[in-house]
Amino acid sequence: MIKKLQLRKHAMTAISYMLPLVVAAGLLIAIGNLTGGKVMTSFKGDYFLPSVLTTLGVWGMGLLAPVISAAIAYSIADRPGIAPGLLSGVISYNIGAGFLGGMLGGFITGWVVAALVKYIKVPVWAEGLKPMMIIPLLSSLIMAGIMFYVVGQPIVLATNAMTSFLNSMQGSAKFVFGGIMGAMAAFDFGGPVNKVASLFADGLLLQGVQQPEAIKILASMVPPFGVTISWLLARVFNRKIYTKAEEDNIKIAFPMGIVMITEGVIPIAAVDLVRVVAASSIGAAVGGALSMTWDIKSPVPSGGMFIVPAMNKPLLFCLALLIGSLVTGLILFFTKKTVTKEDEALESGNGATEPEEDIDVSDIKFDD
């Protein structure tokens, strides 16, 4: 059944459309941060160029959920899936369901649109309106209900529950606190769970508590560093666990990780979500627990490796980062499956298989 749904094919299509956005937005944030830029909240008066770059990059990252949702829906159901796919992604972003909600919404949107195309019958005179108005409108209405009341709410509730749990852990065992915060900061690669940990750390920083900021910075770099380590191990031991496109993505994710941009891992996680999320979360939890135990503090909320010299214990921070990244890399190295010829063939053409002009839903089975 999973093969018939072609989950990997549609995810690869979405990645091919999403990757340029991730790279462009990530580099804009990096350049802006390194030159003293901040996210602008007021647009009156003169614009400071580094802040313009940082703001544009942050806005670009905010488009990830809509883009991946629309691309997956388009891959499944052709052009009628674009509008409801974008709207599903916008809902996911605004209610706090983030990248994971966008992916799930994209698949559901594509299947809903494909089902409507197959089963909705209209008079001959309305055939021209079917792909342009009827299907997009009906599917958007359906997806609004699903995303607001079915898919989005559990993700948001889980996020809120974790926020309350994290708050309750304040002042508890440092190791446990650091591990939980590290796992949250790495869990969804800049998504809502990461934002919860980030806001929590930023709030404590304003109160003079600097340890959580160090954990946030470390956990944001563990996923790209860990994935890179797993790739290097695979090359050393002659195991092919990544396709050519994934290897190219890793080469982009690593330098983005240096400046604390975790989103570079999203294209790799999208095709192997469980393993990459689990490995990243465990590695970041180990690194975060060590950072908190060693009382590492950061007076700066972001900047990646470039602000490590400003920390109270930069060498210990680097050691905790290395250990956490090694844990992630080893887990991925030992758990990822060897790439097959079928995987490589699927990747030819960058994974983006353009849909035919007519919608083909033969791969999707619906019970009458």
Side-chain angles (χ1 to χ4, degrees):
M1 178 64 181
I2 292 178
K3 277 192 172 183
K4 290 179 180 179
L5 293 178
Q6 296 183 301
L7 301 181
R8 182 182 173 86
K9 170 193 168 186
H10 302 312
M12 289 295 290
T13 299
I15 289 167
S16 70
Y17 290 119
M18 180 185 65
L19 186 58
L21 176 63
V22 173
V23 174
L27 292 177
L28 285 169
I29 294 173
I31 296 170
N33 284 343
L34 291 176
T35 52
K38 297 180 180 180
V39 178
M40 295 187 297
T41 56
S42 174
F43 300 93
K44 297 178 181 179
D46 296 332
Y47 294 158
F48 181 47
L49 181 58
S51 294
V52 169
L53 299 179
T54 301
T55 303
L56 182 57
V58 170
W59 287 353
M61 288 300 182
L63 293 173
L64 288 184
V67 168
I68 197 169
S69 179
I72 290 173
Y74 171 62
S75 179
I76 296 173
D78 206 341
R79 282 173 293 183
I82 294 176
L86 281 171
L87 293 175
S88 296
V90 168
I91 294 171
S92 177
Y93 174 75
N94 282 286
I95 67 175
F99 155 70
L100 297 178
M103 277 195 73
L104 185 56
F107 281 110
I108 297 174
T109 299
W111 297 329
V112 167
V113 172
L116 291 175
V117 169
K118 184 175 182 179
Y119 292 115
I120 293 292
K121 306 300 179 184
V122 298
V124 175
W125 62 266
E127 282 293 338
L129 298 175
K130 184 177 176 181
M132 297 295 295
M133 184 180 75
I134 297 173
I135 298 298
L137 176 60
L138 287 177
S139 56
S140 295
L141 290 171
I142 293 170
M143 287 311 301
I146 292 175
M147 291 302 295
F148 273 115
Y149 300 109
V150 181
V151 174
Q153 287 302 313
I155 296 177
V156 175
L157 289 173
T159 300
N160 292 337
M162 279 189 278
T163 304
S164 300
F165 182 59
L166 185 59
N167 278 305
S168 70
M169 290 296 296
Q170 187 178 356
S172 301
K174 287 185 175 182
F175 191 88
V176 176
F177 176 85
I180 293 173
M181 187 161 185
M184 288 182 65
F187 176 74
D188 55 353
F189 317 111
V193 179
N194 167 277
K195 293 296 187 291
V196 168
S198 180
L199 290 172
F200 184 78
D202 293 345
L204 290 177
L205 181 63
L206 296 175
Q207 302 172 23
V209 182
Q210 299 179 352
Q211 293 91 334
E213 285 294 354
I215 298 172
K216 180 188 79 173
I217 294 167
L218 179 148
S220 297
M221 293 190 285
V222 162
F225 287 3
V227 168
T228 303
I229 288 172
S230 71
W231 172 58
L232 292 174
L233 287 172
R235 296 198 65 173
V236 170
F237 292 97
N238 199 27
R239 273 195 67 212
K240 190 167 182 60
I241 59 176
Y242 294 106
T243 65
K244 179 64 170 60
E246 288 173 324
E247 290 177 351
D248 292 340
N249 290 337
I250 291 171
K251 294 172 185 177
I252 296 170
F254 177 73
M256 291 174 69
I258 292 174
V259 288
M260 198 182 149
I261 299 173
T262 318
E263 284 86 348
V265 177
I266 290 177
I268 297 135
V271 295
D272 195 2
L273 192 62
V274 174
R275 288 187 183 89
V276 177
V277 168
S280 297
S281 300
I282 294 171
V286 172
L290 292 174
S291 178
M292 194 72 184
T293 302
W294 293 339
D295 199 36
I296 299 171
K297 302 177 182 180
S298 173
V300 184
S302 63
M305 294 301 298
F306 292 95
I307 55 90
V308 172
M311 296 182 180
N312 66 326
K313 300 177 181 178
L315 294 180
L316 281 178
F317 175 85
C318 291
L319 180 59
L321 174 61
L322 176 61
I323 293 172
S325 300
L326 277 172
V327 170
T328 294
L330 288 169
I331 292 173
L332 288 173
F333 175 71
F334 286 113
T335 60
K336 281 188 72 68
K337 296 179 180 178
T338 303
V339 172
T340 64
K341 291 182 179 179
E342 183 181 345
D343 295 328
E344 294 286 1
L346 179 63
E347 180 194 76
S348 61
N350 208 21
T353 304
E354 294 291 339
E356 299 294 330
E357 192 68 27
D358 296 325
I359 298 173
D360 181 8
V361 293
S362 58
D363 288 326
I364 304 175
K365 304 299 181 184
F366 298 98
D367 295 329
D368 293 319

